[in-house]
Amino acid sequence: MQKIGIIGGGIRGHMYAKSLQHFPGADVRAVSDLSQATAEKTADAFGLAAYTDHRHMLQEVDLDAVIVATPDFAHRDPAVDAAERGLHLLIEKPLATTAEDAAAIEAAVRKAGVECMVGFENRWNPAVRRIREVAAAGELGQVLTQNILLSNTWYVPTEMLSWAARSSPAWFLMSHTVDVATWVNGRTVASVDARGSRGQLAARGVDTWDVVHALLTFDDGTTANLTSTWVLPDSMPSLVDFQLQAVGDRSAVQVDLHEQSVRHAAPDGLRFPGLLGDEIDGRLQGPPTWMVQHFVSCLNEGRPVGPGLRAGRAVTDVVLAVHESLATGGTVRPGTHAA
Amino acid sequence: MQKIGIIGGGIRGHMYAKSLQHFPGADVRAVSDLSQATAEKTADAFGLAAYTDHRHMLQEVDLDAVIVATPDFAHRDPAVDAAERGLHLLIEKPLATTAEDAAAIEAAVRKAGVECMVGFENRWNPAVRRIREVAAAGELGQVLTQNILLSNTWYVPTEMLSWAARSSPAWFLMSHTVDVATWVNGRTVASVDARGSRGQLAARGVDTWDVVHALLTFDDGTTANLTSTWVLPDSMPSLVDFQLQAVGDRSAVQVDLHEQSVRHAAPDGLRFPGLLGDEIDGRLQGPPTWMVQHFVSCLNEGRPVGPGLRAGRAVTDVVLAVHESLATGGTVRPGTHAA
Amino acid sequence: MQKIGIIGGGIRGHMYAKSLQHFPGADVRAVSDLSQATAEKTADAFGLAAYTDHRHMLQEVDLDAVIVATPDFAHRDPAVDAAERGLHLLIEKPLATTAEDAAAIEAAVRKAGVECMVGFENRWNPAVRRIREVAAAGELGQVLTQNILLSNTWYVPTEMLSWAARSSPAWFLMSHTVDVATWVNGRTVASVDARGSRGQLAARGVDTWDVVHALLTFDDGTTANLTSTWVLPDSMPSLVDFQLQAVGDRSAVQVDLHEQSVRHAAPDGLRFPGLLGDEIDGRLQGPPTWMVQHFVSCLNEGRPVGPGLRAGRAVTDVVLAVHESLATGGTVRPGTHAA
Amino acid sequence: MQKIGIIGGGIRGHMYAKSLQHFPGADVRAVSDLSQATAEKTADAFGLAAYTDHRHMLQEVDLDAVIVATPDFAHRDPAVDAAERGLHLLIEKPLATTAEDAAAIEAAVRKAGVECMVGFENRWNPAVRRIREVAAAGELGQVLTQNILLSNTWYVPTEMLSWAARSSPAWFLMSHTVDVATWVNGRTVASVDARGSRGQLAARGVDTWDVVHALLTFDDGTTANLTSTWVLPDSMPSLVDFQLQAVGDRSAVQVDLHEQSVRHAAPDGLRFPGLLGDEIDGRLQGPPTWMVQHFVSCLNEGRPVGPGLRAGRAVTDVVLAVHESLATGGTVRPGTHAA
């Protein structure tokens, strides 16, 4: 039985608490959030202790593991503090948004000898898993190219996330697709060329990139093409557009997660509801839920968790390279930027 | 903790055992199948006792509940025998294929006072659930019409099922869609007109209907159109085609479960893999798994199970009416045939 | 060079005039419409003479052929009058909405020895043609079943058509799909069972059927399932939904003309624009345009036109049977109703 | 009436001859091809004079215009020779595959004062036109990003084209999508970054790029992402995959031309037939047909043809930049390479 604390009580922290609510082997005890209202809302929903300072939570509550569900750029302190107390970690993707933060978390984890998992939830997405299985079974052959699009409507950066200006489509979205691309082809990113534009979101008060395109070159010389934007019209039938094509020398796969088998011509327009993530008989089912349950099961059974620090650092390095290439116009090797 | 026996150890019995393998609160103990090889295969996979006669299993093993996963037409004896021993029941759909069998099961269940659930697994299908939720929330308004197609490739009646000649596309497939149609619109079927054809399967040694179309008229005067066939080409990218459209006076929904977000251009042709039903971290996830887990959870928590006998009998009555209308060319009121 | 008059100057009459505007071998000279404004609008757009009484047009203008583009129920007088003057005919589908009208047109055409084509434009629809070609080449084998849906949003009966109450989804839409079904399978409809509902459109002042389902049984014992409704939500991304599946014993085809390769997330919602029917370099391209050009080319080259009276009468007979079955609840053989 | 000669009598030359066979105002008189068999096959099909040397054809046949349908790299001599004789030109895309060839053609055309159209047939593709219309009407607003994929199965470079090794996915496919991207957004390409891989086709004897990804940066700072490959599995249901997404600040459009409304589950696997390009009543209909008919109509009516040299040169410059960036790994400004 894992005694669990959650740091960050917003949308994701709430979802993790709900995902573990009826899950055997998990005992979620406390939640902390800088906003007292947010902390209390999630605490009240699941009968948890509420904190506004995660250090107080770590001090006062008897815990085995911590879920770090703070904004992209705010993973370091909670993760390091928890590791130093010997607690296992599930950290939301991306692991960190600076090389320094990533290094600090890694150092703390290694020193403490705790388990650390990074929340690349698409590894529990049935469509992505299916591609990975096809690839891992050798049915794709060598992966020659991938095109992956993961974008959001304006709603996400301008209404859903209060901290979008401190993130970007690359941090928030491409951290998923970089992990997917390398999980599918089993390669390492050798270099990155990125281009994009900004100005539209800035004009609405969110000063970050509107559009990011990245060309990845892998260590076997093959390439992939990643796109993430935050400027899809709000009239899109889903707030997430996720398209993937992977072409191997033996076969090819294509995934469309924008439209997930259901269309609803609602009075106010067509909607494509997501199929996973809803409650079924009062229990959430879906990728992040199965991911956090996997984390708990591994801890209970003494199995190593994963994806871990290596995947987390690799993705952070690539997304840092994307931003550096966006800024300089040059080709960037991940992990070689000044840290 | 429910001590469970499974009667019928084929594809479905095996799947139920696997679905409960790591599920807390379930203790699957035994499996029976007329084929000793089948019984032993499933028993060995999950460490169960194997029987070829379900009565011996019921006599010898200490059980709380039984899952009846025998062929369509062979539910009566296992269900009645288990009920008479005071065991709770999960019976595969359809409840029965004759009115006499349905009445006998119902009588035994009522007399014993046991719980009885009928395996309409599409009530745990995320796409169908979404439609039901939209309908139940009043967003569809009055459902004016539905078109539902559920069909299989030749493979299913000629290779997958050894007993297809004793079933039909109406029993095997339309029992699902009759339940879905009435779950979505909340109505009762007032009359049935069915037409279809046979001869193709018969020529391949499976003497049953090739194609069945049924027009349902509901108690509010609205109608629906159901089609099930067993003659889709084996070159179809999935062996199941499932399409649904429901039009209400406020909005409409459309579901395509033939193509579930993934396409695989495999060397031997395009495939549409199903997204749910695979293992995730060694655990099955998907409609029938969530259904059987729900059954166990309800028993453990003392909650009533469902869908139950009422839904089971209603569907059996409608599918009997479909066959009667196919045979006579007349309009048939469900439940009014000689029983 | 064919000298052509158009009777009915509304949406379709205008489209036909435009379709022939730059077509060699066609000389459109006049248009008549009961509404003077409508007649003049189309006449002015294409430099035609305008009439409000088609008989005056027939008397005064030197013509070789006439296009009858009046409402469904108003084909008889223009067609008979034109035939009696020895003019060739292109008559909009359906040929007529009563057996008497159909017989009167047929008699006039036969007596005059003129050519008569019925406007089943889907025979020029590339998707439908492709299916027909696959079928005609024997690639489908025997067609075992078809499911065809052709429906409109509320907009069509309540705003686009002023005369919807004098038509129905069966006359306006199913006349297309009956022709398609029989063109694809090459069979004759032996009997019809139809069910449907009304009340929604009536409540909005258009007293006709909301929903029509028809089961067709063909002379070879196979069946098809046709649905047409006029109650799709106006939030649907296209005002036409057209879905077709035909399953043969050798292969199967599926057509979705609701979504024609393009999605537009317009500010007010998702739209599926139709791909054909637009101008290309100032010239219309699309099924009805190619149909009317075919009509003119055949006349110029002395080839027989088609589909002709036989197809026109067959469809009218089936749709009459649909309405009779809707009214009586019985099985109806086309052509056997009191005429 | 335009007297027309065709240089290059293969797939495309044959298609152009057929497209003009019954088109008023066109009088196709002769065809030349280096292969006598090819020349004669097309000549015989349409009653033309056959030549193996285009210069002889130009000398001996009285012509007004010439269609250059030779392989990508072989446009210069036929185009220059025809222009010098004062003949109007329709040149297949790309205009040329070297800056020298493009300049030579341009000089000859300007000197002769003839009309010159470059065969960007997607400007007559209804789906692409629809996007262009939405964009031109201001409904997209500023185009912020585009993702365009145009790829072929192995069949095209290894079986369909004898000269694939002297072309590339960039010349053969991306010349289309560069034109589409700039036609839709109305911008000029300021710089190009391209990455890709080769080796697979080379191993099959066709030494060219397998995969090409190009990031385009436009003069307004926005970007687009183009992918073209020649290594899609032959089990894909169509030999062309064409996907486009354009996101503007007011709305967005998405096009899928891989699946064009029809699926055929043929005995040997699923096929997505193309909808346009077939004969309708013995006459081809589709983008390249409408394009060549437009060319003839413009000449007959004394209207300027287009897209012309400017578009042709712009695309050639961008695709040259793509290849240079592929080779050097650098960012390339179109038109600035050594010529």
Side-chain angles (χ1 to χ4, degrees):
Chain A
M1 178 69 72
Q2 299 295 311
K3 300 180 292 284
I4 293 173
I6 297 174
I7 304 178
I11 296 171
R12 296 288 290 187
H14 189 278
M15 178 274 297
Y16 286 124
K18 185 160 186 58
S19 294
L20 296 176
Q21 189 175 16
H22 301 290
F23 190 73
D27 176 15
V28 182
R29 299 193 157 190
V31 61
S32 78
D33 198 283
L34 295 179
S35 151
Q36 187 162 344
T38 300
E40 286 178 355
K41 192 178 158 197
T42 293
D44 290 353
F46 305 102
L48 315 178
Y51 291 85
T52 55
D53 187 326
H54 72 268
R55 290 167 301 185
H56 297 167
M57 181 181 86
L58 297 179
Q59 264 176 314
E60 296 176 14
V61 188
D62 177 23
L63 296 174
D64 299 310
V66 152
I67 297 169
V68 179
T70 50
D72 288 2
F73 54 84
H75 293 168
R76 178 178 179 164
D77 287 353
V80 169
D81 292 346
E84 288 178 351
R85 288 191 160 266
L87 306 183
H88 303 301
L89 290 168
L90 168 56
I91 304 177
E92 266 292 353
K93 48 54 54 183
L95 172 62
T97 58
T98 68
E100 296 79 4
D101 284 1
I105 294 170
E106 184 165 6
V109 165
R110 296 212 185 285
K111 187 170 170 202
V114 294
E115 291 287 327
C116 178
M117 180 164 155
V118 183
F120 294 114
E121 70 175 62
N122 281 294
R123 297 199 186 194
W124 285 266
N125 180 318
V128 175
R129 291 177 76 84
R130 176 58 66 126
I131 292 171
R132 159 73 176 184
E133 283 160 17
V134 166
E139 291 179 49
L140 281 183
Q142 186 189 9
V143 178
L144 302 177
T145 182
Q146 297 179 74
N147 274 51
I148 315 184
L149 174 93
L150 180 60
S151 293
N152 289 142
T153 58
W154 290 97
Y155 169 80
V156 170
T158 62
E159 297 188 50
M160 191 179 99
L161 300 177
S162 58
W163 41 271
R166 301 185 62 184
S167 182
S168 75
W171 283 120
F172 192 71
L173 297 169
M174 213 175 264
S175 55
H176 281 298
T177 57
V178 168
D179 183 61
V180 167
T182 50
W183 197 46
V184 167
N185 72 2
R187 315 300 327 182
T188 299
V189 178
S191 69
V192 173
D193 295 90
R195 295 292 179 274
S197 59
R198 50 198 303 157
Q200 295 279 336
L201 282 165
R204 301 196 192 187
V206 180
D207 192 8
T208 188
W209 293 91
D210 300 327
V211 170
V212 180
H213 296 290
L215 293 183
L216 308 185
T217 302
F218 299 100
D219 53 1
D220 65 348
T222 64
T223 51
N225 199 329
L226 270 49
T227 294
S228 287
T229 79
W230 262 349
V231 291
L232 296 181
D234 286 322
S235 59
M236 295 282 279
S238 162
L239 55 79
V240 185
D241 189 6
F242 191 174
Q243 309 282 340
L244 184 154
Q245 187 182 55
V247 179
D249 64 4
R250 299 200 56 229
S251 69
V253 287
Q254 196 179 352
V255 176
D256 175 356
L257 286 165
H258 187 224
E259 182 170 4
Q260 293 181 28
S261 303
V262 182
R263 294 177 178 180
H264 180 203
D268 61 341
L270 199 69
R271 295 285 164 251
F272 291 166
L275 271 204
L276 294 172
D278 286 351
E279 288 180 38
I280 292 188
D281 296 325
R283 300 175 189 200
L284 286 179
Q285 298 287 1
T289 293
W290 298 330
M291 174 178 72
V292 71
Q293 292 176 349
H294 174 78
F295 173 71
V296 169
S297 296
C298 285
L299 294 181
N300 279 324
E301 299 161 15
R303 289 186 287 147
V305 304
L309 282 171
R310 215 168 75 117
R313 290 227 42 182
V315 168
T316 287
D317 282 347
V318 171
V319 180
L320 282 167
V322 166
H323 284 96
E324 189 177 326
S325 181
L326 285 171
T328 65
T331 301
V332 181
R333 290 175 51 102
T336 59
H337 38 72
Chain B
M1 177 68 73
Q2 298 296 311
K3 301 180 290 285
I4 294 173
I6 297 174
I7 304 177
I11 296 173
R12 297 289 288 186
H14 191 277
M15 178 274 297
Y16 286 124
K18 186 160 186 58
S19 294
L20 296 176
Q21 188 176 17
H22 301 290
F23 190 73
D27 175 17
V28 181
R29 301 194 156 189
V31 61
S32 76
D33 198 283
L34 295 179
S35 150
Q36 187 162 343
T38 300
E40 284 178 357
K41 192 178 159 198
T42 294
D44 291 353
F46 304 102
L48 314 179
Y51 291 85
T52 54
D53 185 327
H54 72 269
R55 289 166 301 183
H56 297 166
M57 180 181 86
L58 298 179
Q59 263 175 316
E60 296 175 13
V61 189
D62 177 24
L63 298 173
D64 298 310
V66 152
I67 298 170
V68 178
T70 49
D72 288 3
F73 55 85
H75 293 170
R76 179 178 176 164
D77 286 352
V80 169
D81 292 345
E84 287 178 350
R85 289 190 160 268
L87 306 183
H88 303 301
L89 290 168
L90 168 55
I91 305 176
E92 266 293 352
K93 50 52 58 181
L95 172 61
T97 58
T98 67
E100 296 78 5
D101 284 2
I105 294 171
E106 184 165 8
V109 166
R110 295 214 186 285
K111 186 170 170 201
V114 294
E115 292 286 327
C116 178
M117 181 164 153
V118 182
F120 293 114
E121 70 175 62
N122 281 294
R123 298 200 185 194
W124 284 265
N125 180 319
V128 175
R129 291 177 77 83
R130 177 58 66 124
I131 293 171
R132 159 71 177 185
E133 283 160 18
V134 165
E139 291 178 50
L140 281 183
Q142 187 190 6
V143 177
L144 302 178
T145 182
Q146 296 180 74
N147 274 50
I148 315 184
L149 173 93
L150 180 61
S151 293
N152 288 142
T153 58
W154 290 97
Y155 169 79
V156 170
T158 61
E159 298 188 50
M160 190 178 100
L161 300 177
S162 58
W163 41 272
R166 300 185 62 183
S167 181
S168 74
W171 283 120
F172 192 70
L173 297 170
M174 212 174 264
S175 55
H176 282 297
T177 56
V178 168
D179 183 61
V180 168
T182 49
W183 197 45
V184 167
N185 73 2
R187 314 301 324 182
T188 299
V189 177
S191 68
V192 172
D193 294 89
R195 294 291 180 274
S197 58
R198 53 198 303 157
Q200 295 280 336
L201 282 165
R204 301 196 193 187
V206 181
D207 191 10
T208 186
W209 293 91
D210 300 327
V211 171
V212 181
H213 297 289
L215 294 182
L216 308 185
T217 302
F218 299 100
D219 53 359
D220 65 348
T222 64
T223 52
N225 199 329
L226 271 49
T227 294
S228 287
T229 79
W230 262 350
V231 289
L232 297 181
D234 286 322
S235 59
M236 294 283 278
S238 163
L239 56 78
V240 185
D241 188 6
F242 192 174
Q243 309 282 339
L244 183 156
Q245 188 181 54
V247 179
D249 63 4
R250 298 200 58 229
S251 69
V253 287
Q254 197 178 354
V255 175
D256 176 356
L257 286 164
H258 187 223
E259 182 171 2
Q260 293 182 28
S261 302
V262 181
R263 292 178 181 181
H264 180 203
D268 60 341
L270 198 69
R271 294 285 164 251
F272 293 166
L275 271 203
L276 294 172
D278 286 351
E279 288 181 37
I280 293 187
D281 296 326
R283 297 173 192 205
L284 286 179
Q285 299 286 2
T289 294
W290 299 331
M291 175 178 72
V292 71
Q293 292 176 348
H294 174 79
F295 173 71
V296 169
S297 295
C298 286
L299 295 181
N300 279 322
E301 298 162 16
R303 288 186 287 147
V305 304
L309 282 172
R310 215 169 74 119
R313 291 224 44 179
V315 168
T316 286
D317 282 346
V318 171
V319 181
L320 282 168
V322 166
H323 285 96
E324 188 176 328
S325 182
L326 284 170
T328 64
T331 301
V332 182
R333 292 175 51 102
T336 58
H337 37 73
Chain C
M1 177 68 72
Q2 298 295 310
K3 300 180 291 285
I4 293 172
I6 297 174
I7 304 178
I11 296 172
R12 296 288 289 188
H14 190 278
M15 178 274 296
Y16 287 124
K18 188 163 184 55
S19 294
L20 296 177
Q21 189 176 16
H22 301 290
F23 190 71
D27 176 16
V28 182
R29 300 195 155 188
V31 60
S32 77
D33 199 283
L34 295 179
S35 151
Q36 186 163 344
T38 299
E40 285 178 355
K41 193 178 158 196
T42 293
D44 291 353
F46 304 103
L48 315 178
Y51 291 85
T52 54
D53 186 326
H54 71 270
R55 291 167 300 186
H56 297 167
M57 181 180 85
L58 298 179
Q59 264 176 313
E60 296 175 15
V61 188
D62 177 24
L63 297 173
D64 298 309
V66 152
I67 298 169
V68 178
T70 50
D72 288 1
F73 54 85
H75 292 170
R76 178 178 179 165
D77 287 351
V80 169
D81 293 343
E84 288 179 350
R85 287 191 160 269
L87 306 183
H88 302 302
L89 290 168
L90 169 55
I91 305 177
E92 268 292 353
K93 48 51 60 181
L95 171 62
T97 58
T98 66
E100 295 79 5
D101 284 1
I105 293 171
E106 184 166 6
V109 165
R110 295 212 186 284
K111 187 171 169 200
V114 295
E115 292 286 327
C116 179
M117 180 164 156
V118 182
F120 293 114
E121 69 175 61
N122 281 293
R123 297 199 186 192
W124 283 266
N125 181 319
V128 175
R129 291 177 76 83
R130 176 59 66 128
I131 293 170
R132 159 72 178 185
E133 283 159 18
V134 166
E139 292 179 48
L140 282 183
Q142 186 189 10
V143 178
L144 302 177
T145 181
Q146 296 180 74
N147 274 50
I148 315 183
L149 174 92
L150 179 60
S151 293
N152 289 141
T153 58
W154 290 97
Y155 169 79
V156 170
T158 62
E159 297 188 49
M160 191 178 99
L161 300 177
S162 58
W163 42 271
R166 300 185 61 184
S167 181
S168 75
W171 283 120
F172 192 71
L173 297 169
M174 211 174 266
S175 54
H176 282 298
T177 57
V178 168
D179 183 61
V180 167
T182 49
W183 197 45
V184 167
N185 72 2
R187 313 303 322 184
T188 299
V189 178
S191 68
V192 173
D193 294 271
R195 294 292 179 275
S197 59
R198 51 199 303 158
Q200 294 280 337
L201 281 165
R204 301 195 192 186
V206 180
D207 192 10
T208 187
W209 292 92
D210 300 328
V211 170
V212 180
H213 296 291
L215 293 183
L216 308 186
T217 302
F218 299 101
D219 52 0
D220 66 347
T222 64
T223 51
N225 198 328
L226 271 48
T227 294
S228 288
T229 79
W230 262 350
V231 291
L232 297 181
D234 286 321
S235 60
M236 296 283 278
S238 163
L239 55 79
V240 185
D241 189 5
F242 191 175
Q243 310 281 341
L244 183 156
Q245 188 181 56
V247 179
D249 64 5
R250 299 199 57 228
S251 69
V253 287
Q254 196 178 355
V255 176
D256 176 355
L257 286 164
H258 188 224
E259 183 171 3
Q260 294 182 27
S261 304
V262 181
R263 292 177 179 181
H264 181 203
D268 60 341
L270 199 68
R271 295 285 165 250
F272 292 166
L275 270 204
L276 293 173
D278 286 351
E279 288 180 38
I280 292 186
D281 297 324
R283 299 176 190 199
L284 286 178
Q285 298 286 3
T289 294
W290 298 330
M291 174 177 71
V292 71
Q293 292 177 349
H294 174 77
F295 173 69
V296 169
S297 296
C298 286
L299 294 182
N300 279 322
E301 299 162 16
R303 288 187 287 148
V305 304
L309 283 172
R310 215 168 75 117
R313 290 225 44 179
V315 168
T316 287
D317 282 347
V318 171
V319 181
L320 283 168
V322 166
H323 284 97
E324 189 176 327
S325 181
L326 285 170
T328 65
T331 301
V332 182
R333 291 174 52 102
T336 59
H337 37 73
Chain D
M1 178 68 72
Q2 299 294 312
K3 300 181 290 286
I4 294 174
I6 298 174
I7 304 178
I11 296 172
R12 296 289 288 187
H14 190 277
M15 178 273 299
Y16 286 125
K18 187 162 184 56
S19 293
L20 296 177
Q21 188 176 16
H22 300 291
F23 190 71
D27 175 17
V28 181
R29 298 192 159 191
V31 61
S32 77
D33 198 283
L34 294 179
S35 150
Q36 186 163 343
T38 301
E40 285 178 357
K41 191 178 161 198
T42 294
D44 291 352
F46 304 104
L48 315 178
Y51 291 86
T52 55
D53 187 326
H54 72 270
R55 289 167 301 185
H56 298 165
M57 181 180 85
L58 297 179
Q59 263 175 313
E60 297 175 14
V61 188
D62 177 23
L63 298 173
D64 298 311
V66 152
I67 298 170
V68 179
T70 50
D72 288 3
F73 54 84
H75 293 170
R76 179 178 177 163
D77 288 351
V80 169
D81 292 345
E84 288 179 351
R85 289 192 160 266
L87 306 183
H88 303 302
L89 290 168
L90 169 55
I91 305 177
E92 266 293 352
K93 49 53 53 182
L95 172 62
T97 59
T98 68
E100 295 79 5
D101 284 2
I105 294 171
E106 185 165 6
V109 165
R110 294 211 188 288
K111 187 169 169 204
V114 294
E115 291 286 327
C116 178
M117 182 163 154
V118 182
F120 293 115
E121 70 176 59
N122 281 293
R123 297 199 185 195
W124 283 267
N125 180 319
V128 175
R129 292 177 76 84
R130 178 57 68 124
I131 292 170
R132 159 72 176 185
E133 283 159 18
V134 165
E139 290 179 49
L140 281 183
Q142 186 189 8
V143 177
L144 302 176
T145 182
Q146 296 179 73
N147 275 50
I148 315 185
L149 173 93
L150 180 61
S151 293
N152 288 141
T153 57
W154 290 98
Y155 170 79
V156 170
T158 61
E159 297 188 50
M160 191 178 100
L161 299 177
S162 58
W163 41 271
R166 301 185 62 186
S167 182
S168 75
W171 284 120
F172 192 71
L173 296 170
M174 212 175 265
S175 55
H176 281 298
T177 57
V178 168
D179 183 62
V180 167
T182 50
W183 196 46
V184 167
N185 73 2
R187 313 303 322 184
T188 298
V189 178
S191 69
V192 173
D193 295 89
R195 295 291 180 276
S197 59
R198 53 197 302 157
Q200 295 279 337
L201 281 165
R204 300 195 194 188
V206 181
D207 192 10
T208 187
W209 292 91
D210 300 328
V211 171
V212 180
H213 296 290
L215 293 183
L216 308 186
T217 303
F218 299 101
D219 53 0
D220 66 348
T222 63
T223 51
N225 199 328
L226 270 48
T227 293
S228 287
T229 79
W230 262 350
V231 291
L232 297 181
D234 286 322
S235 59
M236 295 281 279
S238 163
L239 56 79
V240 185
D241 188 6
F242 191 175
Q243 308 282 341
L244 183 155
Q245 188 182 56
V247 179
D249 64 4
R250 299 199 58 228
S251 69
V253 286
Q254 198 178 352
V255 175
D256 176 354
L257 286 164
H258 188 224
E259 183 171 2
Q260 294 181 29
S261 303
V262 182
R263 293 177 179 180
H264 181 202
D268 61 341
L270 199 68
R271 295 286 165 250
F272 293 166
L275 271 204
L276 294 173
D278 286 350
E279 288 180 38
I280 293 187
D281 296 325
R283 299 173 190 203
L284 286 178
Q285 298 287 2
T289 294
W290 299 331
M291 175 178 71
V292 71
Q293 293 176 348
H294 174 77
F295 174 69
V296 169
S297 297
C298 285
L299 294 182
N300 279 323
E301 299 162 15
R303 289 186 286 148
V305 305
L309 283 171
R310 215 168 76 117
R313 291 224 43 179
V315 168
T316 286
D317 282 347
V318 171
V319 180
L320 282 168
V322 166
H323 284 97
E324 188 177 326
S325 181
L326 285 170
T328 66
T331 301
V332 182
R333 291 176 51 102
T336 58
H337 37 73

